[in-house]
Amino acid sequence: TFSVSPPSAQLPNLHNMNSLRLSAILPCSLKFPGIEISRRNCSVDCCRLKTIRRAYGKLNVSKRVVTHMATADSWPPTDSKADWFKEGSLASEWIDATDHPFLQKTRNGTITPEGFNTWLAQDYLFVVEFTRFASTVVEAAPTESMDLYLGGLVALKDELLWFQERAAERDIDLQDIQCLANNQAYIDKMRQWRSTSFPVKAAVFYAIEAVYNTGWSSCLEAPAPYQEFAQRWGNADFTAYCDLLKQLANTALLDPSVDVGEVENAKQAVSEVLQLEVGFWDMALLKGDKE
């Protein structure tokens, strides 16, 4: 049995910034396969990072989960010694994606404005397509798993507006941005993932979010103006959201109706995510921040 957290654990503590009540988004109790989550009264911070994507307030996550789940970090989930990213064939790809020179330069403040602006503009284009992919995850998700994905989809509207504001501050005309080759390759692959099964989509969705959470959390002490970006994806609330995505992805892969081949397809898709993330970071350095 995998213990998520004790009932007393304080998970996200969202800020009351625009009075959007959580009850308007989620039911009083979220029930995922093998995971029970109860909501307390709270308000959603819709002005900070992937807002409603994290909008489940203070959660109590029961220790009672699916008995055949080994650990939420293992790959495949039934192997208690395997790990999605820290062990096995995905380990080096994970490090490459989450501790890239782009992130290292952002961390120490040596990233050039040109390189950072390239990343920002291209990421905006990526999130537009990621929103479309997220809609297919909601569509494919079992009813009992839909709430978290639906909240994430709604939050992407706030994220797109946030990108537009940051771009305007940097005099970037997003209407005049051309999609660069590495970004286009990622977008093309994401379009292919729209037609995959839910377990594959769930694995991809989690992997994409987890890369940003881990990568940007390493930049929380970066100098201004980069701290704002690191805080958006690297804070504890977003980490808690990613943990729930991981649980849903593993639960989907553990479904008895999912065959071994589909589990391997999910692993291959996650590997592709990590490689494409490296290419995305490379793109900013090659375009505007060469060594």
PDB file of all heavy atoms in Angstrom, residues 171-204:
ATOM      1  N   ASP A 171       8.118  43.823 -23.986  1.00  0.00           N
ATOM      2  CA  ASP A 171       7.967  44.326 -25.356  1.00  0.00           C
ATOM      3  C   ASP A 171       8.033  43.206 -26.398  1.00  0.00           C
ATOM      4  O   ASP A 171       8.614  43.362 -27.478  1.00  0.00           O
ATOM      5  CB  ASP A 171       9.029  45.386 -25.667  1.00  0.00           C
ATOM      6  CG  ASP A 171       8.876  46.629 -24.802  1.00  0.00           C
ATOM      7  OD1 ASP A 171       7.722  47.037 -24.549  1.00  0.00           O
ATOM      8  OD2 ASP A 171       9.907  47.180 -24.370  1.00  0.00           O
ATOM      9  N   ILE A 172       7.430  42.080 -26.058  1.00  0.00           N
ATOM     10  CA  ILE A 172       7.353  40.953 -26.990  1.00  0.00           C
ATOM     11  C   ILE A 172       5.964  40.949 -27.618  1.00  0.00           C
ATOM     12  O   ILE A 172       4.956  40.917 -26.905  1.00  0.00           O
ATOM     13  CB  ILE A 172       7.592  39.619 -26.268  1.00  0.00           C
ATOM     14  CG1 ILE A 172       8.973  39.605 -25.610  1.00  0.00           C
ATOM     15  CG2 ILE A 172       7.443  38.450 -27.226  1.00  0.00           C
ATOM     16  CD1 ILE A 172       9.191  38.397 -24.707  1.00  0.00           C
ATOM     17  N   ASP A 173       5.920  40.991 -28.934  1.00  0.00           N
ATOM     18  CA  ASP A 173       4.648  40.934 -29.645  1.00  0.00           C
ATOM     19  C   ASP A 173       4.326  39.472 -29.940  1.00  0.00           C
ATOM     20  O   ASP A 173       4.871  38.870 -30.870  1.00  0.00           O
ATOM     21  CB  ASP A 173       4.741  41.728 -30.952  1.00  0.00           C
ATOM     22  CG  ASP A 173       3.416  41.786 -31.693  1.00  0.00           C
ATOM     23  OD1 ASP A 173       2.418  41.192 -31.212  1.00  0.00           O
ATOM     24  OD2 ASP A 173       3.376  42.398 -32.784  1.00  0.00           O
ATOM     25  N   LEU A 174       3.459  38.889 -29.147  1.00  0.00           N
ATOM     26  CA  LEU A 174       3.150  37.468 -29.292  1.00  0.00           C
ATOM     27  C   LEU A 174       2.432  37.164 -30.603  1.00  0.00           C
ATOM     28  O   LEU A 174       2.449  36.019 -31.070  1.00  0.00           O
ATOM     29  CB  LEU A 174       2.305  36.994 -28.107  1.00  0.00           C
ATOM     30  CG  LEU A 174       3.016  36.994 -26.750  1.00  0.00           C
ATOM     31  CD1 LEU A 174       2.036  36.625 -25.644  1.00  0.00           C
ATOM     32  CD2 LEU A 174       4.201  36.031 -26.760  1.00  0.00           C
ATOM     33  N   GLN A 175       1.808  38.161 -31.195  1.00  0.00           N
ATOM     34  CA  GLN A 175       1.129  37.950 -32.470  1.00  0.00           C
ATOM     35  C   GLN A 175       2.115  37.828 -33.624  1.00  0.00           C
ATOM     36  O   GLN A 175       1.758  37.359 -34.711  1.00  0.00           O
ATOM     37  CB  GLN A 175       0.154  39.106 -32.744  1.00  0.00           C
ATOM     38  CG  GLN A 175      -0.918  39.279 -31.685  1.00  0.00           C
ATOM     39  CD  GLN A 175      -1.760  38.029 -31.508  1.00  0.00           C
ATOM     40  OE1 GLN A 175      -2.182  37.407 -32.474  1.00  0.00           O
ATOM     41  NE2 GLN A 175      -2.007  37.655 -30.253  1.00  0.00           N
ATOM     42  N   ASP A 176       3.348  38.228 -33.371  1.00  0.00           N
ATOM     43  CA  ASP A 176       4.356  38.230 -34.424  1.00  0.00           C
ATOM     44  C   ASP A 176       5.413  37.144 -34.211  1.00  0.00           C
ATOM     45  O   ASP A 176       6.442  37.134 -34.878  1.00  0.00           O
ATOM     46  CB  ASP A 176       5.031  39.613 -34.468  1.00  0.00           C
ATOM     47  CG  ASP A 176       5.827  39.820 -35.739  1.00  0.00           C
ATOM     48  OD1 ASP A 176       5.350  39.395 -36.809  1.00  0.00           O
ATOM     49  OD2 ASP A 176       6.939  40.387 -35.661  1.00  0.00           O
ATOM     50  N   ILE A 177       5.167  36.232 -33.287  1.00  0.00           N
ATOM     51  CA  ILE A 177       6.143  35.193 -32.959  1.00  0.00           C
ATOM     52  C   ILE A 177       5.967  33.992 -33.883  1.00  0.00           C
ATOM     53  O   ILE A 177       4.853  33.487 -34.064  1.00  0.00           O
ATOM     54  CB  ILE A 177       5.998  34.750 -31.495  1.00  0.00           C
ATOM     55  CG1 ILE A 177       6.298  35.920 -30.561  1.00  0.00           C
ATOM     56  CG2 ILE A 177       6.907  33.569 -31.190  1.00  0.00           C
ATOM     57  CD1 ILE A 177       7.718  36.438 -30.671  1.00  0.00           C
ATOM     58  N   GLN A 178       7.071  33.547 -34.456  1.00  0.00           N
ATOM     59  CA  GLN A 178       7.063  32.339 -35.271  1.00  0.00           C
ATOM     60  C   GLN A 178       7.454  31.146 -34.398  1.00  0.00           C
ATOM     61  O   GLN A 178       8.380  31.228 -33.603  1.00  0.00           O
ATOM     62  CB  GLN A 178       8.047  32.471 -36.438  1.00  0.00           C
ATOM     63  CG  GLN A 178       7.716  33.592 -37.405  1.00  0.00           C
ATOM     64  CD  GLN A 178       6.372  33.384 -38.095  1.00  0.00           C
ATOM     65  OE1 GLN A 178       6.086  32.279 -38.579  1.00  0.00           O
ATOM     66  NE2 GLN A 178       5.551  34.418 -38.129  1.00  0.00           N
ATOM     67  N   CYS A 179       6.755  30.059 -34.578  1.00  0.00           N
ATOM     68  CA  CYS A 179       7.055  28.852 -33.814  1.00  0.00           C
ATOM     69  C   CYS A 179       8.365  28.250 -34.312  1.00  0.00           C
ATOM     70  O   CYS A 179       8.503  27.924 -35.503  1.00  0.00           O
ATOM     71  CB  CYS A 179       5.915  27.848 -33.963  1.00  0.00           C
ATOM     72  SG  CYS A 179       6.037  26.437 -32.854  1.00  0.00           S
ATOM     73  N   LEU A 180       9.346  28.109 -33.424  1.00  0.00           N
ATOM     74  CA  LEU A 180      10.643  27.563 -33.788  1.00  0.00           C
ATOM     75  C   LEU A 180      10.576  26.042 -33.919  1.00  0.00           C
ATOM     76  O   LEU A 180       9.658  25.399 -33.425  1.00  0.00           O
ATOM     77  CB  LEU A 180      11.694  27.969 -32.763  1.00  0.00           C
ATOM     78  CG  LEU A 180      11.922  29.490 -32.617  1.00  0.00           C
ATOM     79  CD1 LEU A 180      12.971  29.781 -31.552  1.00  0.00           C
ATOM     80  CD2 LEU A 180      12.327  30.102 -33.956  1.00  0.00           C
ATOM     81  N   ALA A 181      11.580  25.484 -34.579  1.00  0.00           N
ATOM     82  CA  ALA A 181      11.539  24.073 -34.973  1.00  0.00           C
ATOM     83  C   ALA A 181      11.382  23.125 -33.786  1.00  0.00           C
ATOM     84  O   ALA A 181      10.564  22.188 -33.837  1.00  0.00           O
ATOM     85  CB  ALA A 181      12.801  23.722 -35.764  1.00  0.00           C
ATOM     86  N   ASN A 182      12.129  23.340 -32.709  1.00  0.00           N
ATOM     87  CA  ASN A 182      12.042  22.431 -31.563  1.00  0.00           C
ATOM     88  C   ASN A 182      10.674  22.503 -30.898  1.00  0.00           C
ATOM     89  O   ASN A 182      10.149  21.493 -30.426  1.00  0.00           O
ATOM     90  CB  ASN A 182      13.134  22.753 -30.543  1.00  0.00           C
ATOM     91  CG  ASN A 182      14.514  22.352 -31.024  1.00  0.00           C
ATOM     92  OD1 ASN A 182      14.688  21.985 -32.179  1.00  0.00           O
ATOM     93  ND2 ASN A 182      15.498  22.427 -30.144  1.00  0.00           N
ATOM     94  N   ASN A 183      10.118  23.701 -30.850  1.00  0.00           N
ATOM     95  CA  ASN A 183       8.782  23.858 -30.295  1.00  0.00           C
ATOM     96  C   ASN A 183       7.753  23.184 -31.195  1.00  0.00           C
ATOM     97  O   ASN A 183       6.840  22.507 -30.720  1.00  0.00           O
ATOM     98  CB  ASN A 183       8.462  25.350 -30.130  1.00  0.00           C
ATOM     99  CG  ASN A 183       7.225  25.593 -29.280  1.00  0.00           C
ATOM    100  OD1 ASN A 183       6.719  24.701 -28.611  1.00  0.00           O
ATOM    101  ND2 ASN A 183       6.724  26.814 -29.305  1.00  0.00           N
ATOM    102  N   GLN A 184       7.907  23.357 -32.491  1.00  0.00           N
ATOM    103  CA  GLN A 184       6.964  22.748 -33.435  1.00  0.00           C
ATOM    104  C   GLN A 184       7.003  21.229 -33.348  1.00  0.00           C
ATOM    105  O   GLN A 184       5.955  20.564 -33.431  1.00  0.00           O
ATOM    106  CB  GLN A 184       7.277  23.195 -34.853  1.00  0.00           C
ATOM    107  CG  GLN A 184       6.214  22.790 -35.871  1.00  0.00           C
ATOM    108  CD  GLN A 184       4.862  23.419 -35.572  1.00  0.00           C
ATOM    109  OE1 GLN A 184       4.745  24.640 -35.479  1.00  0.00           O
ATOM    110  NE2 GLN A 184       3.837  22.595 -35.406  1.00  0.00           N
ATOM    111  N   ALA A 185       8.206  20.672 -33.139  1.00  0.00           N
ATOM    112  CA  ALA A 185       8.318  19.222 -32.994  1.00  0.00           C
ATOM    113  C   ALA A 185       7.558  18.743 -31.756  1.00  0.00           C
ATOM    114  O   ALA A 185       6.886  17.697 -31.782  1.00  0.00           O
ATOM    115  CB  ALA A 185       9.786  18.823 -32.896  1.00  0.00           C
ATOM    116  N   TYR A 186       7.647  19.497 -30.674  1.00  0.00           N
ATOM    117  CA  TYR A 186       6.931  19.160 -29.441  1.00  0.00           C
ATOM    118  C   TYR A 186       5.424  19.261 -29.661  1.00  0.00           C
ATOM    119  O   TYR A 186       4.650  18.369 -29.275  1.00  0.00           O
ATOM    120  CB  TYR A 186       7.386  20.117 -28.341  1.00  0.00           C
ATOM    121  CG  TYR A 186       7.232  19.627 -26.921  1.00  0.00           C
ATOM    122  CD1 TYR A 186       7.916  20.259 -25.882  1.00  0.00           C
ATOM    123  CD2 TYR A 186       6.414  18.552 -26.591  1.00  0.00           C
ATOM    124  CE1 TYR A 186       7.805  19.830 -24.568  1.00  0.00           C
ATOM    125  CE2 TYR A 186       6.294  18.113 -25.281  1.00  0.00           C
ATOM    126  CZ  TYR A 186       6.987  18.758 -24.267  1.00  0.00           C
ATOM    127  OH  TYR A 186       6.869  18.338 -22.974  1.00  0.00           O
ATOM    128  N   ILE A 187       5.003  20.329 -30.307  1.00  0.00           N
ATOM    129  CA  ILE A 187       3.578  20.526 -30.572  1.00  0.00           C
ATOM    130  C   ILE A 187       3.031  19.412 -31.468  1.00  0.00           C
ATOM    131  O   ILE A 187       1.934  18.883 -31.233  1.00  0.00           O
ATOM    132  CB  ILE A 187       3.347  21.911 -31.199  1.00  0.00           C
ATOM    133  CG1 ILE A 187       3.535  22.999 -30.136  1.00  0.00           C
ATOM    134  CG2 ILE A 187       1.962  22.003 -31.826  1.00  0.00           C
ATOM    135  CD1 ILE A 187       3.532  24.413 -30.692  1.00  0.00           C
ATOM    136  N   ASP A 188       3.803  19.047 -32.496  1.00  0.00           N
ATOM    137  CA  ASP A 188       3.356  17.978 -33.394  1.00  0.00           C
ATOM    138  C   ASP A 188       3.178  16.665 -32.643  1.00  0.00           C
ATOM    139  O   ASP A 188       2.206  15.926 -32.857  1.00  0.00           O
ATOM    140  CB  ASP A 188       4.364  17.792 -34.528  1.00  0.00           C
ATOM    141  CG  ASP A 188       4.367  18.951 -35.508  1.00  0.00           C
ATOM    142  OD1 ASP A 188       3.396  19.747 -35.497  1.00  0.00           O
ATOM    143  OD2 ASP A 188       5.341  19.072 -36.277  1.00  0.00           O
ATOM    144  N   LYS A 189       4.116  16.364 -31.755  1.00  0.00           N
ATOM    145  CA  LYS A 189       3.999  15.138 -30.969  1.00  0.00           C
ATOM    146  C   LYS A 189       2.800  15.212 -30.023  1.00  0.00           C
ATOM    147  O   LYS A 189       2.077  14.226 -29.844  1.00  0.00           O
ATOM    148  CB  LYS A 189       5.290  14.913 -30.176  1.00  0.00           C
ATOM    149  CG  LYS A 189       5.287  13.673 -29.312  1.00  0.00           C
ATOM    150  CD  LYS A 189       5.081  12.402 -30.132  1.00  0.00           C
ATOM    151  CE  LYS A 189       6.256  12.100 -31.024  1.00  0.00           C
ATOM    152  NZ  LYS A 189       6.125  10.760 -31.663  1.00  0.00           N
ATOM    153  N   MET A 190       2.573  16.375 -29.436  1.00  0.00           N
ATOM    154  CA  MET A 190       1.444  16.524 -28.527  1.00  0.00           C
ATOM    155  C   MET A 190       0.119  16.337 -29.271  1.00  0.00           C
ATOM    156  O   MET A 190      -0.846  15.788 -28.710  1.00  0.00           O
ATOM    157  CB  MET A 190       1.492  17.891 -27.836  1.00  0.00           C
ATOM    158  CG  MET A 190       0.588  18.012 -26.641  1.00  0.00           C
ATOM    159  SD  MET A 190       1.121  19.323 -25.503  1.00  0.00           S
ATOM    160  CE  MET A 190       1.430  20.673 -26.626  1.00  0.00           C
ATOM    161  N   ARG A 191       0.070  16.754 -30.517  1.00  0.00           N
ATOM    162  CA  ARG A 191      -1.126  16.533 -31.314  1.00  0.00           C
ATOM    163  C   ARG A 191      -1.358  15.044 -31.539  1.00  0.00           C
ATOM    164  O   ARG A 191      -2.497  14.584 -31.583  1.00  0.00           O
ATOM    165  CB  ARG A 191      -1.012  17.284 -32.644  1.00  0.00           C
ATOM    166  CG  ARG A 191      -1.153  18.798 -32.490  1.00  0.00           C
ATOM    167  CD  ARG A 191      -0.803  19.540 -33.763  1.00  0.00           C
ATOM    168  NE  ARG A 191      -1.011  20.976 -33.614  1.00  0.00           N
ATOM    169  CZ  ARG A 191      -0.561  21.893 -34.468  1.00  0.00           C
ATOM    170  NH1 ARG A 191       0.129  21.512 -35.551  1.00  0.00           N
ATOM    171  NH2 ARG A 191      -0.793  23.180 -34.260  1.00  0.00           N
ATOM    172  N   GLN A 192      -0.287  14.293 -31.677  1.00  0.00           N
ATOM    173  CA  GLN A 192      -0.420  12.846 -31.818  1.00  0.00           C
ATOM    174  C   GLN A 192      -0.945  12.231 -30.520  1.00  0.00           C
ATOM    175  O   GLN A 192      -1.756  11.299 -30.550  1.00  0.00           O
ATOM    176  CB  GLN A 192       0.924  12.230 -32.183  1.00  0.00           C
ATOM    177  CG  GLN A 192       1.446  12.625 -33.552  1.00  0.00           C
ATOM    178  CD  GLN A 192       2.831  12.026 -33.826  1.00  0.00           C
ATOM    179  OE1 GLN A 192       3.215  11.004 -33.269  1.00  0.00           O
ATOM    180  NE2 GLN A 192       3.584  12.689 -34.695  1.00  0.00           N
ATOM    181  N   TRP A 193      -0.476  12.744 -29.400  1.00  0.00           N
ATOM    182  CA  TRP A 193      -0.913  12.193 -28.106  1.00  0.00           C
ATOM    183  C   TRP A 193      -2.392  12.443 -27.840  1.00  0.00           C
ATOM    184  O   TRP A 193      -2.982  11.764 -27.001  1.00  0.00           O
ATOM    185  CB  TRP A 193      -0.072  12.797 -26.972  1.00  0.00           C
ATOM    186  CG  TRP A 193       1.339  12.313 -26.947  1.00  0.00           C
ATOM    187  CD1 TRP A 193       1.788  11.079 -27.298  1.00  0.00           C
ATOM    188  CD2 TRP A 193       2.487  13.065 -26.539  1.00  0.00           C
ATOM    189  NE1 TRP A 193       3.153  11.004 -27.155  1.00  0.00           N
ATOM    190  CE2 TRP A 193       3.610  12.202 -26.680  1.00  0.00           C
ATOM    191  CE3 TRP A 193       2.696  14.361 -26.063  1.00  0.00           C
ATOM    192  CZ2 TRP A 193       4.902  12.618 -26.367  1.00  0.00           C
ATOM    193  CZ3 TRP A 193       3.975  14.776 -25.756  1.00  0.00           C
ATOM    194  CH2 TRP A 193       5.060  13.907 -25.907  1.00  0.00           C
ATOM    195  N   ARG A 194      -2.987  13.373 -28.535  1.00  0.00           N
ATOM    196  CA  ARG A 194      -4.418  13.620 -28.347  1.00  0.00           C
ATOM    197  C   ARG A 194      -5.246  12.376 -28.649  1.00  0.00           C
ATOM    198  O   ARG A 194      -6.328  12.188 -28.078  1.00  0.00           O
ATOM    199  CB  ARG A 194      -4.904  14.755 -29.247  1.00  0.00           C
ATOM    200  CG  ARG A 194      -4.389  16.139 -28.901  1.00  0.00           C
ATOM    201  CD  ARG A 194      -5.073  17.150 -29.809  1.00  0.00           C
ATOM    202  NE  ARG A 194      -4.299  18.365 -29.993  1.00  0.00           N
ATOM    203  CZ  ARG A 194      -4.614  19.315 -30.856  1.00  0.00           C
ATOM    204  NH1 ARG A 194      -5.691  19.186 -31.616  1.00  0.00           N
ATOM    205  NH2 ARG A 194      -3.868  20.390 -30.982  1.00  0.00           N
ATOM    206  N   SER A 195      -4.761  11.534 -29.559  1.00  0.00           N
ATOM    207  CA  SER A 195      -5.532  10.361 -29.984  1.00  0.00           C
ATOM    208  C   SER A 195      -5.113   9.085 -29.269  1.00  0.00           C
ATOM    209  O   SER A 195      -5.546   7.999 -29.639  1.00  0.00           O
ATOM    210  CB  SER A 195      -5.401  10.173 -31.499  1.00  0.00           C
ATOM    211  OG  SER A 195      -4.038   9.975 -31.861  1.00  0.00           O
ATOM    212  N   THR A 196      -4.280   9.188 -28.242  1.00  0.00           N
ATOM    213  CA  THR A 196      -3.868   8.008 -27.487  1.00  0.00           C
ATOM    214  C   THR A 196      -4.887   7.682 -26.398  1.00  0.00           C
ATOM    215  O   THR A 196      -5.850   8.415 -26.183  1.00  0.00           O
ATOM    216  CB  THR A 196      -2.480   8.227 -26.851  1.00  0.00           C
ATOM    217  OG1 THR A 196      -2.530   9.368 -25.979  1.00  0.00           O
ATOM    218  CG2 THR A 196      -1.424   8.454 -27.923  1.00  0.00           C
ATOM    219  N   SER A 197      -4.628   6.593 -25.691  1.00  0.00           N
ATOM    220  CA  SER A 197      -5.522   6.171 -24.608  1.00  0.00           C
ATOM    221  C   SER A 197      -5.355   7.065 -23.389  1.00  0.00           C
ATOM    222  O   SER A 197      -4.355   7.782 -23.253  1.00  0.00           O
ATOM    223  CB  SER A 197      -5.220   4.727 -24.222  1.00  0.00           C
ATOM    224  OG  SER A 197      -3.919   4.643 -23.637  1.00  0.00           O
ATOM    225  N   PHE A 198      -6.306   6.975 -22.472  1.00  0.00           N
ATOM    226  CA  PHE A 198      -6.219   7.795 -21.271  1.00  0.00           C
ATOM    227  C   PHE A 198      -4.965   7.502 -20.448  1.00  0.00           C
ATOM    228  O   PHE A 198      -4.326   8.443 -19.966  1.00  0.00           O
ATOM    229  CB  PHE A 198      -7.468   7.623 -20.398  1.00  0.00           C
ATOM    230  CG  PHE A 198      -7.344   8.318 -19.076  1.00  0.00           C
ATOM    231  CD1 PHE A 198      -7.305   9.712 -19.004  1.00  0.00           C
ATOM    232  CD2 PHE A 198      -7.229   7.590 -17.898  1.00  0.00           C
ATOM    233  CE1 PHE A 198      -7.166  10.375 -17.782  1.00  0.00           C
ATOM    234  CE2 PHE A 198      -7.093   8.233 -16.674  1.00  0.00           C
ATOM    235  CZ  PHE A 198      -7.055   9.621 -16.619  1.00  0.00           C
ATOM    236  N   PRO A 199      -4.553   6.245 -20.233  1.00  0.00           N
ATOM    237  CA  PRO A 199      -3.328   6.030 -19.451  1.00  0.00           C
ATOM    238  C   PRO A 199      -2.111   6.725 -20.045  1.00  0.00           C
ATOM    239  O   PRO A 199      -1.282   7.277 -19.308  1.00  0.00           O
ATOM    240  CB  PRO A 199      -3.167   4.503 -19.467  1.00  0.00           C
ATOM    241  CG  PRO A 199      -4.561   3.987 -19.602  1.00  0.00           C
ATOM    242  CD  PRO A 199      -5.239   4.963 -20.526  1.00  0.00           C
ATOM    243  N   VAL A 200      -1.989   6.731 -21.354  1.00  0.00           N
ATOM    244  CA  VAL A 200      -0.867   7.421 -21.994  1.00  0.00           C
ATOM    245  C   VAL A 200      -1.008   8.926 -21.797  1.00  0.00           C
ATOM    246  O   VAL A 200      -0.041   9.611 -21.445  1.00  0.00           O
ATOM    247  CB  VAL A 200      -0.794   7.074 -23.497  1.00  0.00           C
ATOM    248  CG1 VAL A 200       0.282   7.911 -24.189  1.00  0.00           C
ATOM    249  CG2 VAL A 200      -0.503   5.586 -23.681  1.00  0.00           C
ATOM    250  N   LYS A 201      -2.189   9.447 -22.010  1.00  0.00           N
ATOM    251  CA  LYS A 201      -2.413  10.881 -21.817  1.00  0.00           C
ATOM    252  C   LYS A 201      -2.127  11.297 -20.379  1.00  0.00           C
ATOM    253  O   LYS A 201      -1.519  12.351 -20.131  1.00  0.00           O
ATOM    254  CB  LYS A 201      -3.860  11.242 -22.171  1.00  0.00           C
ATOM    255  CG  LYS A 201      -4.184  11.169 -23.652  1.00  0.00           C
ATOM    256  CD  LYS A 201      -5.649  11.501 -23.887  1.00  0.00           C
ATOM    257  CE  LYS A 201      -5.986  11.436 -25.368  1.00  0.00           C
ATOM    258  NZ  LYS A 201      -7.403  11.721 -25.632  1.00  0.00           N
ATOM    259  N   ALA A 202      -2.563  10.495 -19.426  1.00  0.00           N
ATOM    260  CA  ALA A 202      -2.343  10.821 -18.019  1.00  0.00           C
ATOM    261  C   ALA A 202      -0.858  10.839 -17.696  1.00  0.00           C
ATOM    262  O   ALA A 202      -0.381  11.702 -16.945  1.00  0.00           O
ATOM    263  CB  ALA A 202      -3.071   9.818 -17.127  1.00  0.00           C
ATOM    264  N   ALA A 203      -0.113   9.901 -18.257  1.00  0.00           N
ATOM    265  CA  ALA A 203       1.332   9.853 -18.026  1.00  0.00           C
ATOM    266  C   ALA A 203       2.016  11.057 -18.649  1.00  0.00           C
ATOM    267  O   ALA A 203       2.896  11.681 -18.038  1.00  0.00           O
ATOM    268  CB  ALA A 203       1.901   8.554 -18.596  1.00  0.00           C
ATOM    269  N   VAL A 204       1.623  11.412 -19.850  1.00  0.00           N
ATOM    270  CA  VAL A 204       2.206  12.571 -20.542  1.00  0.00           C
ATOM    271  C   VAL A 204       1.884  13.853 -19.787  1.00  0.00           C
ATOM    272  O   VAL A 204       2.764  14.700 -19.563  1.00  0.00           O
ATOM    273  CB  VAL A 204       1.681  12.642 -21.990  1.00  0.00           C
ATOM    274  CG1 VAL A 204       1.977  14.005 -22.621  1.00  0.00           C
ATOM    275  CG2 VAL A 204       2.291  11.525 -22.830  1.00  0.00           C
TER     276      VAL A 204
END
